[in-house]
PDB file of all heavy atoms in Angstrom:
ATOM      1  N   TRP A  55     -51.359 -13.587  56.368  1.00  0.00           N
ATOM      2  CA  TRP A  55     -50.476 -12.553  56.917  1.00  0.00           C
ATOM      3  C   TRP A  55     -51.211 -11.738  57.976  1.00  0.00           C
ATOM      4  O   TRP A  55     -50.691 -11.504  59.067  1.00  0.00           O
ATOM      5  CB  TRP A  55     -49.978 -11.634  55.795  1.00  0.00           C
ATOM      6  CG  TRP A  55     -49.278 -10.419  56.298  1.00  0.00           C
ATOM      7  CD1 TRP A  55     -47.956 -10.307  56.626  1.00  0.00           C
ATOM      8  CD2 TRP A  55     -49.856  -9.138  56.560  1.00  0.00           C
ATOM      9  NE1 TRP A  55     -47.683  -9.033  57.069  1.00  0.00           N
ATOM     10  CE2 TRP A  55     -48.839  -8.296  57.030  1.00  0.00           C
ATOM     11  CE3 TRP A  55     -51.150  -8.619  56.432  1.00  0.00           C
ATOM     12  CZ2 TRP A  55     -49.057  -6.967  57.385  1.00  0.00           C
ATOM     13  CZ3 TRP A  55     -51.378  -7.294  56.780  1.00  0.00           C
ATOM     14  CH2 TRP A  55     -50.343  -6.490  57.246  1.00  0.00           C
ATOM     15  N   ALA A  56     -52.446 -11.317  57.680  1.00  0.00           N
ATOM     16  CA  ALA A  56     -53.238 -10.523  58.620  1.00  0.00           C
ATOM     17  C   ALA A  56     -53.519 -11.320  59.900  1.00  0.00           C
ATOM     18  O   ALA A  56     -53.404 -10.792  61.009  1.00  0.00           O
ATOM     19  CB  ALA A  56     -54.539 -10.069  57.968  1.00  0.00           C
ATOM     20  N   TRP A  57     -53.869 -12.577  59.748  1.00  0.00           N
ATOM     21  CA  TRP A  57     -54.141 -13.426  60.909  1.00  0.00           C
ATOM     22  C   TRP A  57     -52.891 -13.549  61.776  1.00  0.00           C
ATOM     23  O   TRP A  57     -52.955 -13.419  63.000  1.00  0.00           O
ATOM     24  CB  TRP A  57     -54.619 -14.805  60.446  1.00  0.00           C
ATOM     25  CG  TRP A  57     -54.880 -15.740  61.577  1.00  0.00           C
ATOM     26  CD1 TRP A  57     -56.028 -15.838  62.317  1.00  0.00           C
ATOM     27  CD2 TRP A  57     -53.955 -16.684  62.129  1.00  0.00           C
ATOM     28  NE1 TRP A  57     -55.875 -16.795  63.288  1.00  0.00           N
ATOM     29  CE2 TRP A  57     -54.617 -17.337  63.203  1.00  0.00           C
ATOM     30  CE3 TRP A  57     -52.656 -17.045  61.826  1.00  0.00           C
ATOM     31  CZ2 TRP A  57     -53.996 -18.315  63.963  1.00  0.00           C
ATOM     32  CZ3 TRP A  57     -52.041 -18.026  62.585  1.00  0.00           C
ATOM     33  CH2 TRP A  57     -52.711 -18.653  63.645  1.00  0.00           C
ATOM     34  N   GLU A  58     -51.751 -13.788  61.131  1.00  0.00           N
ATOM     35  CA  GLU A  58     -50.493 -13.914  61.884  1.00  0.00           C
ATOM     36  C   GLU A  58     -50.150 -12.619  62.610  1.00  0.00           C
ATOM     37  O   GLU A  58     -49.738 -12.644  63.774  1.00  0.00           O
ATOM     38  CB  GLU A  58     -49.348 -14.295  60.946  1.00  0.00           C
ATOM     39  CG  GLU A  58     -49.433 -15.710  60.435  1.00  0.00           C
ATOM     40  CD  GLU A  58     -48.397 -16.020  59.358  1.00  0.00           C
ATOM     41  OE1 GLU A  58     -47.762 -15.085  58.808  1.00  0.00           O
ATOM     42  OE2 GLU A  58     -48.214 -17.213  59.063  1.00  0.00           O
ATOM     43  N   MET A  59     -50.316 -11.493  61.940  1.00  0.00           N
ATOM     44  CA  MET A  59     -50.017 -10.204  62.574  1.00  0.00           C
ATOM     45  C   MET A  59     -50.919  -9.975  63.782  1.00  0.00           C
ATOM     46  O   MET A  59     -50.473  -9.466  64.815  1.00  0.00           O
ATOM     47  CB  MET A  59     -50.172  -9.053  61.583  1.00  0.00           C
ATOM     48  CG  MET A  59     -49.064  -8.931  60.566  1.00  0.00           C
ATOM     49  SD  MET A  59     -47.459  -8.533  61.312  1.00  0.00           S
ATOM     50  CE  MET A  59     -46.584 -10.049  60.996  1.00  0.00           C
ATOM     51  N   ARG A  60     -52.171 -10.360  63.664  1.00  0.00           N
ATOM     52  CA  ARG A  60     -53.096 -10.194  64.798  1.00  0.00           C
ATOM     53  C   ARG A  60     -52.685 -11.070  65.979  1.00  0.00           C
ATOM     54  O   ARG A  60     -52.826 -10.664  67.128  1.00  0.00           O
ATOM     55  CB  ARG A  60     -54.519 -10.488  64.361  1.00  0.00           C
ATOM     56  CG  ARG A  60     -55.086  -9.383  63.496  1.00  0.00           C
ATOM     57  CD  ARG A  60     -56.522  -9.668  63.112  1.00  0.00           C
ATOM     58  NE  ARG A  60     -57.076  -8.529  62.410  1.00  0.00           N
ATOM     59  CZ  ARG A  60     -57.762  -8.620  61.275  1.00  0.00           C
ATOM     60  NH1 ARG A  60     -57.977  -9.804  60.727  1.00  0.00           N
ATOM     61  NH2 ARG A  60     -58.240  -7.548  60.699  1.00  0.00           N
ATOM     62  N   GLN A  61     -52.198 -12.260  65.703  1.00  0.00           N
ATOM     63  CA  GLN A  61     -51.729 -13.126  66.792  1.00  0.00           C
ATOM     64  C   GLN A  61     -50.517 -12.500  67.473  1.00  0.00           C
ATOM     65  O   GLN A  61     -50.407 -12.487  68.695  1.00  0.00           O
ATOM     66  CB  GLN A  61     -51.371 -14.524  66.260  1.00  0.00           C
ATOM     67  CG  GLN A  61     -52.502 -15.271  65.588  1.00  0.00           C
ATOM     68  CD  GLN A  61     -53.758 -15.339  66.427  1.00  0.00           C
ATOM     69  OE1 GLN A  61     -53.730 -15.825  67.553  1.00  0.00           O
ATOM     70  NE2 GLN A  61     -54.857 -14.851  65.898  1.00  0.00           N
ATOM     71  N   LEU A  62     -49.605 -11.982  66.685  1.00  0.00           N
ATOM     72  CA  LEU A  62     -48.396 -11.360  67.230  1.00  0.00           C
ATOM     73  C   LEU A  62     -48.697 -10.070  67.982  1.00  0.00           C
ATOM     74  O   LEU A  62     -48.066  -9.775  68.996  1.00  0.00           O
ATOM     75  CB  LEU A  62     -47.390 -11.091  66.098  1.00  0.00           C
ATOM     76  CG  LEU A  62     -46.807 -12.331  65.435  1.00  0.00           C
ATOM     77  CD1 LEU A  62     -46.016 -11.936  64.193  1.00  0.00           C
ATOM     78  CD2 LEU A  62     -45.938 -13.126  66.409  1.00  0.00           C
ATOM     79  N   GLU A  63     -49.664  -9.304  67.502  1.00  0.00           N
ATOM     80  CA  GLU A  63     -49.972  -8.045  68.169  1.00  0.00           C
ATOM     81  C   GLU A  63     -50.567  -8.272  69.557  1.00  0.00           C
ATOM     82  O   GLU A  63     -50.370  -7.465  70.458  1.00  0.00           O
ATOM     83  CB  GLU A  63     -50.863  -7.147  67.312  1.00  0.00           C
ATOM     84  CG  GLU A  63     -52.313  -7.524  67.254  1.00  0.00           C
ATOM     85  CD  GLU A  63     -53.153  -6.608  66.368  1.00  0.00           C
ATOM     86  OE1 GLU A  63     -52.621  -5.862  65.528  1.00  0.00           O
ATOM     87  OE2 GLU A  63     -54.382  -6.676  66.528  1.00  0.00           O
ATOM     88  N   VAL A  64     -51.274  -9.374  69.742  1.00  0.00           N
ATOM     89  CA  VAL A  64     -51.804  -9.700  71.066  1.00  0.00           C
ATOM     90  C   VAL A  64     -50.647  -9.890  72.045  1.00  0.00           C
ATOM     91  O   VAL A  64     -50.633  -9.321  73.139  1.00  0.00           O
ATOM     92  CB  VAL A  64     -52.701 -10.961  71.018  1.00  0.00           C
ATOM     93  CG1 VAL A  64     -53.026 -11.464  72.418  1.00  0.00           C
ATOM     94  CG2 VAL A  64     -53.967 -10.677  70.233  1.00  0.00           C
ATOM     95  N   ASP A  65     -49.668 -10.670  71.633  1.00  0.00           N
ATOM     96  CA  ASP A  65     -48.503 -10.917  72.485  1.00  0.00           C
ATOM     97  C   ASP A  65     -47.714  -9.642  72.752  1.00  0.00           C
ATOM     98  O   ASP A  65     -47.118  -9.482  73.813  1.00  0.00           O
ATOM     99  CB  ASP A  65     -47.581 -11.964  71.854  1.00  0.00           C
ATOM    100  CG  ASP A  65     -48.201 -13.347  71.826  1.00  0.00           C
ATOM    101  OD1 ASP A  65     -49.140 -13.602  72.622  1.00  0.00           O
ATOM    102  OD2 ASP A  65     -47.763 -14.177  71.011  1.00  0.00           O
ATOM    103  N   ALA A  66     -47.708  -8.723  71.788  1.00  0.00           N
ATOM    104  CA  ALA A  66     -46.945  -7.480  71.930  1.00  0.00           C
ATOM    105  C   ALA A  66     -47.748  -6.378  72.628  1.00  0.00           C
ATOM    106  O   ALA A  66     -47.212  -5.316  72.906  1.00  0.00           O
ATOM    107  CB  ALA A  66     -46.499  -6.993  70.553  1.00  0.00           C
ATOM    108  N   GLY A  67     -49.017  -6.649  72.906  1.00  0.00           N
ATOM    109  CA  GLY A  67     -49.853  -5.630  73.536  1.00  0.00           C
ATOM    110  C   GLY A  67     -50.167  -4.469  72.604  1.00  0.00           C
ATOM    111  O   GLY A  67     -50.327  -3.335  73.043  1.00  0.00           O
ATOM    112  N   GLU A  68     -50.267  -4.743  71.331  1.00  0.00           N
ATOM    113  CA  GLU A  68     -50.497  -3.706  70.317  1.00  0.00           C
ATOM    114  C   GLU A  68     -51.809  -3.948  69.577  1.00  0.00           C
ATOM    115  O   GLU A  68     -51.882  -3.827  68.358  1.00  0.00           O
ATOM    116  CB  GLU A  68     -49.326  -3.692  69.317  1.00  0.00           C
ATOM    117  CG  GLU A  68     -48.006  -3.351  69.917  1.00  0.00           C
ATOM    118  CD  GLU A  68     -47.875  -1.891  70.314  1.00  0.00           C
ATOM    119  OE1 GLU A  68     -48.664  -1.052  69.834  1.00  0.00           O
ATOM    120  OE2 GLU A  68     -46.970  -1.584  71.107  1.00  0.00           O
ATOM    121  N   ILE A  69     -52.864  -4.241  70.306  1.00  0.00           N
ATOM    122  CA  ILE A  69     -54.156  -4.580  69.710  1.00  0.00           C
ATOM    123  C   ILE A  69     -54.647  -3.444  68.810  1.00  0.00           C
ATOM    124  O   ILE A  69     -54.638  -2.281  69.205  1.00  0.00           O
ATOM    125  CB  ILE A  69     -55.205  -4.862  70.810  1.00  0.00           C
ATOM    126  CG1 ILE A  69     -54.716  -5.937  71.770  1.00  0.00           C
ATOM    127  CG2 ILE A  69     -56.558  -5.232  70.200  1.00  0.00           C
ATOM    128  CD1 ILE A  69     -54.398  -7.257  71.142  1.00  0.00           C
ATOM    129  N   GLY A  70     -55.043  -3.797  67.610  1.00  0.00           N
ATOM    130  CA  GLY A  70     -55.589  -2.837  66.659  1.00  0.00           C
ATOM    131  C   GLY A  70     -54.580  -2.356  65.629  1.00  0.00           C
ATOM    132  O   GLY A  70     -54.956  -1.714  64.649  1.00  0.00           O
ATOM    133  N   ALA A  71     -53.310  -2.655  65.830  1.00  0.00           N
ATOM    134  CA  ALA A  71     -52.282  -2.184  64.898  1.00  0.00           C
ATOM    135  C   ALA A  71     -52.475  -2.767  63.503  1.00  0.00           C
ATOM    136  O   ALA A  71     -52.310  -2.065  62.499  1.00  0.00           O
ATOM    137  CB  ALA A  71     -50.888  -2.517  65.422  1.00  0.00           C
ATOM    138  N   THR A  72     -52.844  -4.019  63.431  1.00  0.00           N
ATOM    139  CA  THR A  72     -53.022  -4.656  62.126  1.00  0.00           C
ATOM    140  C   THR A  72     -54.215  -4.069  61.398  1.00  0.00           C
ATOM    141  O   THR A  72     -54.126  -3.767  60.202  1.00  0.00           O
ATOM    142  CB  THR A  72     -53.157  -6.182  62.283  1.00  0.00           C
ATOM    143  OG1 THR A  72     -51.964  -6.676  62.897  1.00  0.00           O
ATOM    144  CG2 THR A  72     -53.362  -6.866  60.941  1.00  0.00           C
ATOM    145  N   ASP A  73     -55.316  -3.864  62.094  1.00  0.00           N
ATOM    146  CA  ASP A  73     -56.483  -3.257  61.452  1.00  0.00           C
ATOM    147  C   ASP A  73     -56.146  -1.870  60.930  1.00  0.00           C
ATOM    148  O   ASP A  73     -56.528  -1.505  59.817  1.00  0.00           O
ATOM    149  CB  ASP A  73     -57.660  -3.182  62.421  1.00  0.00           C
ATOM    150  CG  ASP A  73     -58.338  -4.519  62.631  1.00  0.00           C
ATOM    151  OD1 ASP A  73     -57.961  -5.506  61.961  1.00  0.00           O
ATOM    152  OD2 ASP A  73     -59.248  -4.585  63.478  1.00  0.00           O
ATOM    153  N   GLN A  74     -55.421  -1.079  61.711  1.00  0.00           N
ATOM    154  CA  GLN A  74     -55.034   0.257  61.285  1.00  0.00           C
ATOM    155  C   GLN A  74     -54.135   0.198  60.048  1.00  0.00           C
ATOM    156  O   GLN A  74     -54.309   0.953  59.100  1.00  0.00           O
ATOM    157  CB  GLN A  74     -54.330   1.005  62.423  1.00  0.00           C
ATOM    158  CG  GLN A  74     -53.971   2.434  62.073  1.00  0.00           C
ATOM    159  CD  GLN A  74     -55.189   3.289  61.740  1.00  0.00           C
ATOM    160  OE1 GLN A  74     -56.242   3.175  62.348  1.00  0.00           O
ATOM    161  NE2 GLN A  74     -55.047   4.151  60.735  1.00  0.00           N
ATOM    162  N   THR A  75     -53.185  -0.723  60.063  1.00  0.00           N
ATOM    163  CA  THR A  75     -52.299  -0.892  58.910  1.00  0.00           C
ATOM    164  C   THR A  75     -53.099  -1.289  57.681  1.00  0.00           C
ATOM    165  O   THR A  75     -52.867  -0.766  56.585  1.00  0.00           O
ATOM    166  CB  THR A  75     -51.214  -1.939  59.219  1.00  0.00           C
ATOM    167  OG1 THR A  75     -50.400  -1.447  60.288  1.00  0.00           O
ATOM    168  CG2 THR A  75     -50.347  -2.232  58.008  1.00  0.00           C
ATOM    169  N   CYS A  76     -54.041  -2.202  57.848  1.00  0.00           N
ATOM    170  CA  CYS A  76     -54.867  -2.638  56.719  1.00  0.00           C
ATOM    171  C   CYS A  76     -55.693  -1.478  56.163  1.00  0.00           C
ATOM    172  O   CYS A  76     -55.816  -1.336  54.939  1.00  0.00           O
ATOM    173  CB  CYS A  76     -55.764  -3.793  57.127  1.00  0.00           C
ATOM    174  SG  CYS A  76     -54.857  -5.350  57.351  1.00  0.00           S
ATOM    175  N   LEU A  77     -56.245  -0.662  57.032  1.00  0.00           N
ATOM    176  CA  LEU A  77     -57.009   0.497  56.573  1.00  0.00           C
ATOM    177  C   LEU A  77     -56.129   1.448  55.772  1.00  0.00           C
ATOM    178  O   LEU A  77     -56.514   1.918  54.696  1.00  0.00           O
ATOM    179  CB  LEU A  77     -57.627   1.242  57.764  1.00  0.00           C
ATOM    180  CG  LEU A  77     -58.801   0.566  58.446  1.00  0.00           C
ATOM    181  CD1 LEU A  77     -59.129   1.272  59.759  1.00  0.00           C
ATOM    182  CD2 LEU A  77     -60.015   0.561  57.535  1.00  0.00           C
ATOM    183  N   GLU A  78     -54.943   1.731  56.279  1.00  0.00           N
ATOM    184  CA  GLU A  78     -54.025   2.642  55.592  1.00  0.00           C
ATOM    185  C   GLU A  78     -53.578   2.082  54.246  1.00  0.00           C
ATOM    186  O   GLU A  78     -53.546   2.800  53.239  1.00  0.00           O
ATOM    187  CB  GLU A  78     -52.807   2.924  56.473  1.00  0.00           C
ATOM    188  CG  GLU A  78     -53.146   3.737  57.713  1.00  0.00           C
ATOM    189  CD  GLU A  78     -52.018   3.790  58.732  1.00  0.00           C
ATOM    190  OE1 GLU A  78     -50.901   3.286  58.458  1.00  0.00           O
ATOM    191  OE2 GLU A  78     -52.259   4.340  59.835  1.00  0.00           O
ATOM    192  N   ARG A  79     -53.246   0.799  54.233  1.00  0.00           N
ATOM    193  CA  ARG A  79     -52.786   0.186  52.982  1.00  0.00           C
ATOM    194  C   ARG A  79     -53.911   0.085  51.966  1.00  0.00           C
ATOM    195  O   ARG A  79     -53.702   0.299  50.771  1.00  0.00           O
ATOM    196  CB  ARG A  79     -52.167  -1.182  53.257  1.00  0.00           C
ATOM    197  CG  ARG A  79     -50.835  -1.058  53.973  1.00  0.00           C
ATOM    198  CD  ARG A  79     -50.194  -2.400  54.237  1.00  0.00           C
ATOM    199  NE  ARG A  79     -48.915  -2.221  54.912  1.00  0.00           N
ATOM    200  CZ  ARG A  79     -48.082  -3.203  55.218  1.00  0.00           C
ATOM    201  NH1 ARG A  79     -48.390  -4.456  54.911  1.00  0.00           N
ATOM    202  NH2 ARG A  79     -46.945  -2.945  55.831  1.00  0.00           N
ATOM    203  N   SER A  80     -55.103  -0.228  52.425  1.00  0.00           N
ATOM    204  CA  SER A  80     -56.242  -0.310  51.517  1.00  0.00           C
ATOM    205  C   SER A  80     -56.478   1.034  50.839  1.00  0.00           C
ATOM    206  O   SER A  80     -56.683   1.108  49.622  1.00  0.00           O
ATOM    207  CB  SER A  80     -57.488  -0.746  52.286  1.00  0.00           C
ATOM    208  OG  SER A  80     -58.572  -0.946  51.423  1.00  0.00           O
ATOM    209  N   THR A  81     -56.418   2.100  51.617  1.00  0.00           N
ATOM    210  CA  THR A  81     -56.581   3.442  51.065  1.00  0.00           C
ATOM    211  C   THR A  81     -55.488   3.742  50.047  1.00  0.00           C
ATOM    212  O   THR A  81     -55.756   4.261  48.960  1.00  0.00           O
ATOM    213  CB  THR A  81     -56.564   4.496  52.194  1.00  0.00           C
ATOM    214  OG1 THR A  81     -57.663   4.237  53.074  1.00  0.00           O
ATOM    215  CG2 THR A  81     -56.672   5.904  51.651  1.00  0.00           C
ATOM    216  N   ALA A  82     -54.259   3.394  50.390  1.00  0.00           N
ATOM    217  CA  ALA A  82     -53.128   3.645  49.482  1.00  0.00           C
ATOM    218  C   ALA A  82     -53.264   2.839  48.193  1.00  0.00           C
ATOM    219  O   ALA A  82     -53.017   3.368  47.101  1.00  0.00           O
ATOM    220  CB  ALA A  82     -51.811   3.310  50.177  1.00  0.00           C
ATOM    221  N   PHE A  83     -53.657   1.574  48.300  1.00  0.00           N
ATOM    222  CA  PHE A  83     -53.764   0.715  47.123  1.00  0.00           C
ATOM    223  C   PHE A  83     -54.885   1.164  46.186  1.00  0.00           C
ATOM    224  O   PHE A  83     -54.818   0.927  44.980  1.00  0.00           O
ATOM    225  CB  PHE A  83     -54.000  -0.744  47.518  1.00  0.00           C
ATOM    226  CG  PHE A  83     -52.870  -1.377  48.276  1.00  0.00           C
ATOM    227  CD1 PHE A  83     -53.110  -2.451  49.121  1.00  0.00           C
ATOM    228  CD2 PHE A  83     -51.569  -0.926  48.164  1.00  0.00           C
ATOM    229  CE1 PHE A  83     -52.072  -3.065  49.817  1.00  0.00           C
ATOM    230  CE2 PHE A  83     -50.521  -1.518  48.861  1.00  0.00           C
ATOM    231  CZ  PHE A  83     -50.784  -2.596  49.689  1.00  0.00           C
ATOM    232  N   GLN A  84     -55.912   1.783  46.733  1.00  0.00           N
ATOM    233  CA  GLN A  84     -57.060   2.205  45.931  1.00  0.00           C
ATOM    234  C   GLN A  84     -56.962   3.661  45.472  1.00  0.00           C
ATOM    235  O   GLN A  84     -57.839   4.126  44.733  1.00  0.00           O
ATOM    236  CB  GLN A  84     -58.344   2.007  46.726  1.00  0.00           C
ATOM    237  CG  GLN A  84     -58.611   0.534  47.028  1.00  0.00           C
ATOM    238  CD  GLN A  84     -59.850   0.349  47.863  1.00  0.00           C
ATOM    239  OE1 GLN A  84     -60.954   0.588  47.373  1.00  0.00           O
ATOM    240  NE2 GLN A  84     -59.672  -0.048  49.106  1.00  0.00           N
ATOM    241  N   ALA A  85     -55.925   4.354  45.887  1.00  0.00           N
ATOM    242  CA  ALA A  85     -55.781   5.763  45.528  1.00  0.00           C
ATOM    243  C   ALA A  85     -55.602   5.914  44.011  1.00  0.00           C
ATOM    244  O   ALA A  85     -55.047   5.038  43.352  1.00  0.00           O
ATOM    245  CB  ALA A  85     -54.588   6.369  46.262  1.00  0.00           C
ATOM    246  N   GLU A  86     -56.074   7.030  43.488  1.00  0.00           N
ATOM    247  CA  GLU A  86     -55.937   7.302  42.058  1.00  0.00           C
ATOM    248  C   GLU A  86     -54.487   7.307  41.612  1.00  0.00           C
ATOM    249  O   GLU A  86     -54.177   6.918  40.493  1.00  0.00           O
ATOM    250  CB  GLU A  86     -56.574   8.655  41.724  1.00  0.00           C
ATOM    251  CG  GLU A  86     -57.908   8.538  41.069  1.00  0.00           C
ATOM    252  CD  GLU A  86     -58.439   9.890  40.655  1.00  0.00           C
ATOM    253  OE1 GLU A  86     -57.793  10.573  39.836  1.00  0.00           O
ATOM    254  OE2 GLU A  86     -59.522  10.232  41.152  1.00  0.00           O
ATOM    255  N   ASP A  87     -53.609   7.758  42.500  1.00  0.00           N
ATOM    256  CA  ASP A  87     -52.196   7.862  42.143  1.00  0.00           C
ATOM    257  C   ASP A  87     -51.374   6.642  42.575  1.00  0.00           C
ATOM    258  O   ASP A  87     -50.145   6.682  42.567  1.00  0.00           O
ATOM    259  CB  ASP A  87     -51.584   9.141  42.712  1.00  0.00           C
ATOM    260  CG  ASP A  87     -51.640   9.206  44.232  1.00  0.00           C
ATOM    261  OD1 ASP A  87     -52.361   8.398  44.855  1.00  0.00           O
ATOM    262  OD2 ASP A  87     -50.964  10.083  44.808  1.00  0.00           O
TER     263      ASP A  87
END
Side-chain angles (χ1 to χ4, degrees):
W55 170 86
W57 178 84
E58 289 172 347
M59 285 295 112
R60 287 182 174 133
Q61 300 308 303
L62 293 171
E63 77 181 17
V64 169
D65 292 339
E68 297 288 342
I69 305 301
T72 300
D73 284 355
Q74 183 61 38
T75 296
C76 287
L77 287 169
E78 292 168 6
R79 289 181 179 184
S80 185
T81 299
F83 296 155
Q84 296 178 69
E86 257 185 61
D87 61 347

